[in-house]
Amino acid sequence: MKTENIFKGLGIALITPFTQDGQVDYPSLIRLVNYQLDNGADFFCILATTGETPVLTPEEKLTIKNTVVDLVQGRVPILMGCGGYNTAAVIHELQTGDFKGIDGVLSVCPYYNKPSQEGLYQHFKAIAAATELPVVLYNVPGRTGVNMKAETTVRLARDCRNIVAIKEASGNLEQVDEIIKNKPNDFDVISGDDSLTFPMISCGAVGVISVIGNALPREFSKMIRLQFRGEYDAARKIHHRFTDLFSLLFVDGNPAGVKAMLHEMGFIENVLRLPLVPTRISTLQKMSEIMRELKI
């Protein structure tokens, strides 16, 4: 029997706040999660790209995971990043790691070594077989260097009972539409691009794992809920309000843009860990102008 996908609506790709001296800022993390829960977050995606996970220690990752789990208390589902280019290492993590309180895993396409479509299929099939948790695939060729084609995604959806969805961030709406057209009914597509969430949900996606949702959960979740109710004109207006902000969020890399935005809003220090650095002053000024115009 196919596992049900519970990751729908507004998912927050949760950042990791740091103090001025570079330590994880747990009080700010708690404040941020509470803010998102109070303003429309439907689920959280923790310890993934936006969380700067590659520069966190194993101890920090475990503490962040436990902090969020203890705070959420089962009110919304929690998806946790677990992926890599070494299939055996991912399987080992799934079998030995602490996933208490976690409702599913987000697993990115293997990066750097550019496997074939058959390699991608076998990689994810092995990962799905190694866990009872629901698995959400993550296709982001701009970061990994390899695109998982629609036919591979659909094949995995049909063959693996606990592969429940894909976070599709190829930026290719034709590919998204092909997946939605050919997928089984018990498999979902989730937007991996804030700027494409409106058109993807219009095509049949069930939500987004959002970066801008860290800062603007109420506004972004309202757009999604309007679409779910078929009120596309009202949803489109919200989408168009944030068009310029979407591009500025990513021009200097992620999560530099949203961290600058959250700093302007008074939530966090504007600190990242190398090799990531804060967004440029010129970008920050443009973001601040738009935020003032939007009365954020």
Side-chain angles (χ1 to χ4, degrees):
M1 183 177 176
K2 187 78 170 182
T3 305
E4 180 187 1
N5 173 44
I6 58 174
F7 303 104
K8 299 179 181 182
L10 175 64
I12 307 294
L14 190 62
I15 65 142
T16 300
F18 299 116
T19 60
Q20 283 290 354
D21 62 356
Q23 301 303 306
V24 177
D25 185 350
Y26 293 104
S28 291
L29 178 66
I30 291 169
R31 182 183 175 205
L32 196 59
V33 170
N34 278 326
Y35 163 70
Q36 291 154 359
L37 284 169
D38 290 342
N39 287 279
D42 293 303
F43 67 95
F44 286 94
C45 181
I46 66 171
L47 297 176
T49 311
T50 305
E52 296 177 72
T53 306
V55 297
L56 298 173
T57 67
E59 293 78 17
E60 288 170 334
K61 287 189 279 190
L62 181 59
T63 304
I64 289 169
K65 178 272 230 188
N66 287 335
T67 298
V68 176
V69 168
D70 290 345
L71 192 58
V72 169
Q73 288 288 312
R75 286 177 284 175
V76 298
I78 300 174
L79 187 65
M80 188 166 83
C82 183
Y85 58 74
N86 181 339
T87 309
V90 178
I91 290 172
H92 179 74
E93 183 178 355
L94 285 169
Q95 293 177 337
T96 62
D98 181 357
F99 291 89
K100 184 179 180 181
I102 298 301
D103 300 291
V105 294
L106 177 75
S107 199
V108 69
C109 281
Y111 42 87
Y112 184 68
N113 52 7
K114 293 187 177 182
S116 66
Q117 295 300 305
E118 183 61 27
L120 292 173
Y121 173 81
Q122 295 296 342
H123 170 83
F124 284 121
K125 184 179 180 182
I127 285 172
T131 180
E132 290 298 313
L133 287 169
V135 176
V136 177
L137 310 173
Y138 182 16
N139 185 40
V140 57
R143 290 182 179 274
T144 63
V146 61
N147 176 51
M148 185 156 66
K149 295 180 180 179
E151 60 196 55
T152 305
T153 299
V154 172
R155 183 183 173 198
L156 285 162
R158 294 188 184 281
D159 292 353
C160 303
R161 66 166 185 83
N162 59 331
I163 292 182
V164 299
I166 183 168
K167 178 186 178 184
E168 178 56 55
S170 65
N172 184 339
L173 288 175
E174 184 177 352
Q175 177 165 293
V176 169
D177 197 48
E178 187 177 349
I179 296 170
I180 291 171
K181 180 178 71 174
N182 295 312
K183 70 177 183 66
N185 291 332
D186 48 14
F187 178 84
D188 291 324
V189 174
I190 302 168
S191 173
D193 291 299
D194 283 335
S195 62
L196 294 180
T197 299
F198 178 82
M200 284 182 64
I201 291 179
S202 299
C203 289
V206 299
V208 60
I209 296 175
S210 172
V211 174
I212 201 172
N214 278 279
L216 304 176
R218 178 177 294 177
E219 293 84 352
F220 215 47
S221 65
K222 182 179 179 181
M223 182 192 78
I224 293 167
R225 284 165 171 72
L226 285 168
Q227 284 190 271
F228 287 166
R229 296 200 299 263
E231 298 178 41
Y232 289 100
D233 288 342
R236 189 181 299 108
K237 289 178 181 177
I238 298 175
H239 166 70
H240 284 152
R241 284 183 70 206
F242 297 121
T243 302
D244 293 335
L245 203 51
F246 288 147
S247 59
L248 287 171
L249 277 179
F250 298 96
V251 71
D252 293 325
N254 182 46
V258 75
K259 278 197 159 184
M261 191 174 179
L262 286 165
H263 177 68
E264 287 290 291
M265 296 171 71
F267 278 104
I268 64 169
E269 299 290 345
N270 192 15
V271 178
L272 294 89
R273 283 184 179 172
L274 290 172
L276 301 181
V277 295
T279 190
R280 293 170 294 176
I281 296 295
S282 58
T283 305
L284 180 57
Q285 289 172 340
K286 292 175 183 175
M287 288 175 61
S288 297
E289 291 172 8
I290 293 173
M291 289 167 68
R292 282 195 297 271
E293 290 173 5
L294 296 175
K295 298 180 180 180
I296 298 170

